[in-house]
Amino acid sequence: MKTTIKKGKTDFKLAMVLLFPSLFLLLLLVAYPMFSNIQISFFHLPINPRLDSTFIGLENYINILSDIEFLKSLGLTVLYTALAVGGSTVLGLLVAIFFNRPFMFRKTARSLIILSYVTPSISLIFAWKYMFNNSYGIVNFLGGDVFHLFKQAPLWFDNPVSSFILVVIFAIWRYFPYAFISFLAILQTIDSSLYEAAEIDGASAWQKFKIVTLPAIMPVLITVITLRSIWLFYMFTDVYLLTNKVDILGIYLYKTAFAFNDLGQAASISVILFIILFIVIIAARKRVNFNGNG
């Protein structure tokens, strides 16, 4: 009995020694910045580190929550996230269902599908800006000179409405391969005899999807939607490089911190975003547990 206890203590010490580098990096790179950010949100912090910060309590949060521009940015971000996540998820599922069958050059086609996901964002963004350039872009050339859809070339990324539509389409096209890979992996685990039994019972294609496919992919579906919502809710790079007409929260936060030099309000914005996403994650986890997969 003594030997067992001693061995257990030894294993625990060894485990802690092996985990220490990871725990130290986690505390240094995640926990410390997070608590430091929360602390900054209660101060008026000047850019110049030589100047003293001033404790102002909840003033930053009150100012942000009462700022109409923040609320507009929040609404725009929610709409952007909903459209991009919904579009990329549906497109990824449809393509995964189409590719979940044998056909010639299937592996090559799958490799081509994920190119938009593995290619660096900067290359894709400048390719899109080149395509939609009002002077020499291929889109305006085809739409104006070839098909005569419009007389004057639209300024795609200079108009708020068209800019928003394009950044949503870009996000759907850019990130649907993630959903495609996830759904294709789970679709290949579904027993084909279930589809055969449903077909014998006279089930239509939609009924087979609803009865067999949807319950099987539900855990993956919830995971894909949750993770992609988190990533797109914090989106900055893609939208910022594509256009300056779409002020989603990532760009609004950036402008607050570095254009208006208000680090305290920027920190309070990030805390508010964290709370929103935390609620979303908890709700999604409860939904997964409800489906028996938590």
Side-chain angles (χ1 to χ4, degrees), residues 175-220:
Y175 298 110
F176 90 88
Y178 172 79
F180 163 74
I181 295 171
S182 302
F183 289 131
L184 184 61
I186 192 66
L187 285 173
Q188 292 178 340
T189 65
I190 301 176
D191 192 351
S192 59
S193 62
L194 297 175
Y195 292 104
E196 295 172 0
E199 190 170 352
I200 292 173
D201 292 337
S204 63
W206 167 249
Q207 290 173 329
K208 286 190 286 186
F209 172 80
K210 185 178 179 180
I211 298 172
V212 180
T213 306
L214 190 58
I217 68 171
M218 184 58 71
V220 175

Side-chain angles (χ1 to χ4, degrees), residues 161-172:
V161 176
S162 61
S163 295
F164 179 78
I165 294 173
L166 287 178
V167 296
V168 169
I169 295 175
F170 177 85
I172 293 173

Side-chain angles (χ1 to χ4, degrees), residues 24 35 60 124 126 139 154 175 177 207 220 238 247 259 272 292:
F24 176 75
F35 286 110
N60 284 325
L124 299 176
F126 279 101
V139 174
Y175 298 110
Q207 290 173 329
V220 175
D238 293 356
D247 282 342
I272 293 171

Side-chain angles (χ1 to χ4, degrees), residues 17-64:
V17 170
L18 295 176
L19 286 173
F20 176 76
S22 299
L23 292 175
F24 176 75
L25 288 175
L26 189 65
L27 291 172
L28 181 65
L29 301 178
V30 178
Y32 172 72
M34 183 176 68
F35 286 110
S36 178
N37 185 78
I38 295 174
Q39 180 186 9
I40 292 173
S41 69
F42 295 104
F43 286 83
H44 174 69
L45 186 67
I47 292 290
N48 190 342
R50 297 180 180 180
L51 299 177
D52 295 331
S53 57
T54 305
F55 178 77
I56 57 175
L58 297 175
E59 185 177 332
N60 284 325
Y61 292 95
I62 295 172
N63 292 337
I64 286 298

